[in-house]
Every structure is written in structure tokens, then in C-alpha cells.
């Protein structure tokens, strides 16, 4: 059986695949960008994923290629496939996670509910969109954005002048994505894993809280959710996964509107911050499930292990020293909270870890998770 | 803060410390006996732990030394301490786990309940012991035994002739441990973790089932246990840990007699097979707790995550191929069972993995765990 998994990218997502691989007895190798990456323990190669030769050489050492991020150029992905390597998710799926305009077009064809949107190539087009949408628009670069980077709320097209300038310098005739600003009650996420052979499994819908464009807290399951909303989220994620041929874990970020609709905000075709709760809160974590899925193995039970699980990101970290230096206080104060530290140096706003609490009483669980994150030096 | 942990020995216990270290952002290094050990992912050195220079060189690379097994010679442990290294547990504690006669003597001084025992140096002494104990005795080599090796039930001293011959060849004037055969209802284990600074934490008492001297199944918590027995087990383990100065995890294996007494059978000063259930069944696993304890960090919550957790060892493995080759069937059949595979080649009787099931209904949990172990090719 195929059991050697190669991960391109050495960030915390690759790192968190390591425990799952160790438990299941699977060989995990990582192609990291730098020495000392978050996933350094499993890094068998260090190199640039923009370099086809580097990636192809790495692929020779494993049975299946998967990803810590979505930034590997589509051309290299297609070279991998042409060379006979298994790539999960493959380029035909991944391009919809790599390019927000392609994603919007494809979801539109599938009839998936989304915010109103347009591809705008000039300030005039953007101004028209703004005028049609209550005098504001959320603009996004089609490629390369993450954690709130490449996203801007504008009330006049001139506020996007710098982005249009970059687009024109590119000479690719690119466009920006303009979206209506959605009046949402809260943000939800539906996590799904799908095997190449077709079967998929859904985790419970979670509520996500962003601060400054960065995921800050996740409540699993999303408290007090209308069963109709749960059903709709499941249908949306399953349709996208099946129709786009997604393999491995996919997160569908959703707006729950004040009038009880769901609109797709973003897609991520990999384990995702909104699923970190599952390591301690679900029978099968998103990382274990991702490994099972990319090997086309039967998927695990996605049930919850407690009525409430709350994940809080540790952003930034302590102003002096390392996160582990905070353990004597933090672990003493919160003996039931699970601490996950990514092996990255503290830096303001950087995702350096997360904590997870679980239990029967939501208020208590939230309090404990936030207390632990604060004691570990989180910015927020 | 000290955060670099060095483990001597590259077996599955060292392997299962890796996920805990990754989660907590601690650096784990392993001195393995061979290339391709079970803990190979964290192996930074390969060498013989009987060689003082090898061990001392390894110790230079870490902040604290701990163990996958109890076989490092006491003299080397003392050299490590003399050279200023932190060794957890230290030689003053570890020698009681290394030598069953020393352990029996020390527990006797502490008034800990045990089977009747004697140190026997000749066949005549053994025959006297047998005659005084209903015509039978369990004999054990003082050192080096594990998993039923170095243990024999005899009804005549002549049956131990070969062991006495080896003792005499040694020229160390050694002795065998002779113990009464205890009429027990079942075997229990009390797992405890203790910090160098003193605090300790107990997990629930578990029931262990051995087949052919090897741990086969563990039920956590031990079903239907008299509260008096629980209290006694806690007192025994805490006394031993405190009085012997144990650091890290210790397992106390106990006989529950048909007349409701508890007798100490064996001690292990390291994570132990009777605690593998805690990875999936307790808020804090024995492996995470061991790392916290040896760094003298606050200990985690040892509560259970489900009313019943059952661990079943995978012994031997499939007759053809690797354990992972069984995943397509086994994972499909038991999506809620957690599979732990140790990266060892199948061989009859060898501990190659374990599975854990959990839930509200004990019968169902037992059934699922046994089914998964069988589908993975377990001998038993």
C-alpha cells in the first residue's frame, strides 16, 4: 500500500500532520522552504517550491504529494502529474483554491450561494460595482492572499489604485475580485475530507471569529445553529468537493447572513485553522483525516468528543523569550487545556500556536481557552 | 526554560513521545540502538547505551535525559549525574525498577503489600520456598526481564537449574527472586507521574489482561472496582513514587486478590503499556505527562474523555505484508477506533501496535477494539 506522504511546505499545517503520521505508522516527508521550519522534524528536503526540478526530485522519494499551502505554481503541479506522481489535491481542483476569480466563476456555474461579485480590471469598473453596492466593496487580489492579506474594504475606486497599478505592471491583463460587503450575523466553516475514489466525511459546522482578518477563535460545534443552516452547509461543501474533484481536507468559509442564508466566502483545499479544534475535539482530527484521504484510505469518525470544544489561536507570543518559557504559569493555571506550539519564534501577529479546551459548559470552556492563550502571551 | 529532552532507547515508547513533543513544541532527541528504530523520526544518534562515551556525548545535546527502557547500566547513569546532566528518573530511583530484588527489599521497608518473596541463591533455598508455598513458586531473574521473559512458574527447584547455572557462571553471587503464586481475581495497574519538585498526578486505575506474559488488553477505568481498592492503589503508588524519588511516569502493576487485597507485582519507571489507553482516553496522555514531568512542568489533567476506553495490543501483525496493508479493511470496519502502529516489521508475538476504542457502552467498546486488532492481523 502507498504509505509515503510528501508534503510541500514546512509550516504548522505540515507540522501538525506529524503526530497523525506517527500514530498511523505512515512515512511523512516535508519539502520545507527553509532550515528550521515549523515542520523541521519531518523535513527531508529544503528547497524552493517554485523550482520544478526541486519539487520533482522530492516527489521521487514519496508515494503521494500533498500540501501545507496552496502556492505551488499550477505548471509545476501539472509537471508532477505528467511525470506520473499522485498529487492530492490535483491541479484541476487546486486551481480553484489558488485563484479567487476562478473559484467564483466555478461556484457560480454550480449555483452555490455567494456574495455578489465581479472581476474588475479598471478603476471605472470597480467604481460601477461600488455604486451598485451601497457605496462600498470588498476587493481581493485573485492570488496569493491569506490571513486578511490581499483583502481591502473600499468606498471609492481610487483606494485600489495601487493594486491596479501592480496588476498592469504584471502585464497579464489580470483582474481584481470585487465583492459586496455582506451583512453577516457570524462566520461559519464547514470542513470536509474527500477521498480520490469519492467518499467524503463532514465535521460539525463550526463558528469562526476573525480579528484583523486573522482567525482568532473557533467554537465547535457552532452554538445554537439552525438545523436548516447545518444541512445547507453540508450540501454546499459536498457539492463543491464532488464537483471540483477535491481530495484531502477542504474548508469552506461561510457567511451566515442576518436573514439566515449561507454565502461562501473562501475555500481552502488543505487542513485549515478552522479545523484545529478537531485534534483534541473530534474522534478523527483534520490532520489524520487528510492523510487518510490523500492515501485513499477509509475516512475516520468525525464525531465530537465533548459537547463544546473551543480553539483559540496564540498570536504573536510573549514579548520576551519563547512560548515554552510561559509553561510554568500557563500549564499550572489551565491543566485541562491542550497546548499546541508551532516551533516558531514569537513576532507580533504571527500564528505561533493554539490552545484547545473542551467540556460540557460553553462559558467555562471559552474562559479556560482564552485564559491559556493569554498566559502564553497571545496578542489578542 | 529547559525544553530539549533526550530519550535513551528508540522503541515504541520513545516513538509515542514524538506526538506529545510536537504538540508542546519541545525538542525531542532519541539515542536509538539501531538505524530504522521505531522512534527513528526523532533519532539524532545511533549507538550502544552500554557505552558510557556514547551516552555522555548524546547527553551533551539535550537538557534532560529520560528513557524508553530501564536497561541503561547504573554506572553510566551515575556518570551522567556526576557530569552534571539531569537524569529523570535518576539512578537512585531507577535501580529499584532495574533490580526486582532491590525493589522487593525497599517496598518491604515501606510496608507496601506484596506477594511473599525470598531471594534464593541455591536450589535448596528455592525448594524450601516451594515447600512453604503450596508446592509452587514464581521465579524471576532479578534483572533484564520484560513481557514475561525472565519469569517462570516452577513446582520443583530442579526446574530452575539452568537459571542457577547462569547465575553461578556470572560469578556475581547473584540470586533469583522467588515469589508465592498469588490467587488473584484480576490484574490492575496504577499509573502515576511525579515531578522532581514533588507534585504527582494519578490516572484512574485500569484493569490489565495478560496473555502469555504479555499485556493484551487494558480497560480504563477498571470496571466495577471497589472504591477502597482505588484508594489503596492510589496510596501505594503515591508512597512508592514519593519514597523512591521517582520522576516521570511510573506504572505499578497490582494483583487484586480474591479476598480484596492489593499486592504489588511489578514497577516500571517509564510510560507503560498499561497507560497507552491515555493517548486517546485521557485529557493528558502518559507520554505528554512524562515530558511535562521530566521537565518539572505542571502536570496535566488526568481525567477520562469517555466512560470507557479499551486498548488492545496488536501482537505479531499480518502474516504477509505490513500493518498498513490491512488499513483498507480495518479502517473501513472500525472508523471510530484509533490505530497506533509502531513502524516495526511484523513478527509472531511482537508488539507492533495497539488500537483504542472509547464510548459509553463497555461491551460495544470492547467489541470494536478487538475487531480492529484482529483486522490488523493481531495474533491473539
Amino acid at each position: 500500500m502507498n504509505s509515503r506522504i510528501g508534503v510541500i511546505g514546512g509550516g504548522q499545517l505540515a507540522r501538525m500532520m506529524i503526530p497523525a503520521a506517527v500514530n498511523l505508522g505512515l512515512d511523512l516527508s516535508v519539502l520545507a522552504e527553509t532550515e528550521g521550519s515549523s515542520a523541521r522534524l519531518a523535513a527531508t528536503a529544503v528547497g524552493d517550491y517554485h523550482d520544478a526540478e526541486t519539487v520533482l526530485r522530492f516527489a521521487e522519494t514519496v508515494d503521494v504529494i500533498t500540501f501545507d499551502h496552496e502556492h505551488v505554481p499550477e505548471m509545476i503541479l501539472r509537471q508532477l502529474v505528467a511525470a506520473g506522481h499522485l498529487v492530492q489535491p490535483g491541479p484541476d481542483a487546486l486551481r480553484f483554491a489558488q485563484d479567487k476569480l476562478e473559484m467564483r466563476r466555478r461556484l457560480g456555474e454550480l449555483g452555490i450561494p455567494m456574495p455578489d461579485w465581479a472581476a474588475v480590471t479598471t478603476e471605472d469598473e470597480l467604481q460601477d460595482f461600488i455604486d451598485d453596492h451601497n457605496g462600498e466593496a470588498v476587493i481581493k487580489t485573485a492570488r496569493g492572499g491569506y490571513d486578511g492579506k490581499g483583502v481591502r474594504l473600499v468606498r471609492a475606486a481610487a483606494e485600489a489604485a495601487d493594486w491596479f497599478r501592480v496588476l498592469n505592471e504584471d502585464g497579464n491583463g489580470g483582474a481584481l475580485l470585487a465583492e459586496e460587503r455582506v451583512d453577516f450575523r457570524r462566520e461559519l466553516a464547514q470542513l470536509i475530507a474527500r477521498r480520490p475514489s469519492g467518499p467524503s466525511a463532514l465535521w460539525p459546522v463550526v463558528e469562526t471569529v476573525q480579528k484583523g482578518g486573522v482567525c482568532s477563535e473557533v467554537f465547535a460545534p457552532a452554538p445554537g445553529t439552525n438545523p436548516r443552516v447545518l444541512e445547507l452547509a453540508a450540501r454546499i461543501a459536498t457539492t463543491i468537493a464532488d464537483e471540483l474533484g477535491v481530495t484531502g481536507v477542504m474548508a469552506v468559509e461561510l457567511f451566515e447572513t442576518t436573514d439566515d442564508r449561507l454565502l461562501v466566502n473562501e475555500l481552502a483545499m488543505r487542513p485549515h485553522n478552522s479545523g484545529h479544534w478537531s485534534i483534541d475535539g473530534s474522534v478523527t482530527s483534520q490532520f489524520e483525516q487528510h492523510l487518510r484521504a490523500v492515501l485513499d484510505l477509509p475516512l475516520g469518525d468525525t464525531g465530537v468528543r465533548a459537547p463544546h470544544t473551543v480553539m483559540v489561536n496564540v498570536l504573536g507570543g510573549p514579548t520576551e523569550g519563547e512560548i515554552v518559557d510561559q509553561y510554568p504559569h500557563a500549564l499550572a493555571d489551565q491543566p485541562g487545556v491542550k497546548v499546541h506550539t508551532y516551533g516558531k519564534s514569537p513576532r507580533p501577529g504571527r500564528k505561533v500556536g493554539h490552545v484547545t479546551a473542551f467540556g460540557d459548559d460553553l462559558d467555562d470552556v471559552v474562559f479556560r481557552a482564552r485564559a491559556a492563550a493569554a498566559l502564553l502571551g497571545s496578542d489578542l
Side-chain angles (χ1 to χ4, degrees), chain A residues 45-261:
Chain A
V46 173
D48 183 357
Y49 60 80
H50 298 92
D51 179 62
E53 201 187 316
T54 298
V55 174
L56 282 159
R57 204 181 316 122
F58 175 68
E60 293 293 335
T61 67
V62 298
D63 297 318
V64 57
I65 287 283
T66 188
F67 308 95
D68 172 77
H69 58 68
E70 292 138 340
H71 306 318
V72 179
E74 188 179 334
M75 204 169 69
I76 293 183
L77 299 176
R78 298 214 177 271
Q79 282 179 269
L80 283 170
V81 172
H85 297 293
L86 291 174
V87 179
Q88 310 293 3
D92 289 336
L94 207 52
R95 65 198 184 95
F96 298 109
Q98 293 184 321
D99 189 305
K100 293 186 203 300
L101 286 168
E102 291 222 43
M103 183 265 282
R104 287 289 180 231
R105 283 187 199 107
R106 187 75 183 100
L107 296 196
E109 290 168 10
L110 296 172
I112 302 285
M114 299 178 284
D116 264 357
W117 68 279
V120 292
T121 55
T122 64
E123 286 189 41
D124 284 350
E125 287 178 11
L126 175 56
Q127 192 59 52
D128 286 347
F129 187 88
I130 291 170
D131 294 342
D132 289 348
H133 292 87
N134 302 315
E136 56 189 10
V138 177
I139 58 167
K140 300 178 177 179
T141 54
R143 291 174 165 271
Y146 68 98
D147 280 354
K149 294 175 184 66
V151 177
R152 191 182 285 177
L153 176 69
V154 296
R155 294 196 168 78
E159 295 172 42
D162 53 337
W163 284 10
F164 280 115
R165 201 174 311 124
V166 172
L167 272 188
N168 291 333
E169 280 166 7
D170 255 10
N172 291 326
L176 297 177
L177 171 62
E179 293 180 342
E180 68 167 323
R181 185 184 186 180
V182 174
D183 192 17
F184 60 84
R185 179 185 297 136
R186 56 179 181 169
E187 293 188 67
L188 302 175
Q190 173 69 70
L191 206 69
I192 186 170
R194 184 174 175 277
R195 298 172 58 178
S197 56
S200 61
L202 296 151
W203 282 269
V205 172
V206 301
E207 178 178 346
T208 67
V209 179
Q210 332 289 321
K211 289 190 184 165
V214 179
C215 178
S216 162
E217 299 184 342
V218 173
F219 303 82
T225 309
N226 185 330
R228 217 166 35 78
V229 165
L230 299 180
E231 199 188 305
L232 184 58
R235 204 161 62 227
I236 289 171
T238 306
T239 301
I240 296 173
D242 287 345
E243 294 294 332
L244 272 53
V246 175
T247 52
V249 166
M250 174 177 68
V252 183
E253 296 183 80
L254 297 156
F255 294 124
E256 184 187 56
T257 65
T258 49
D259 55 347
D260 259 335
R261 289 176 304 139

Side-chain angles (χ1 to χ4, degrees), chain A residues 288-302:
Chain A
E288 176 180 342
Q289 198 79 301
H290 187 72
L291 300 185
R292 290 163 78 135
V294 301
L295 291 173
D296 204 12
L297 285 169
L299 301 177
D301 181 345
T302 51

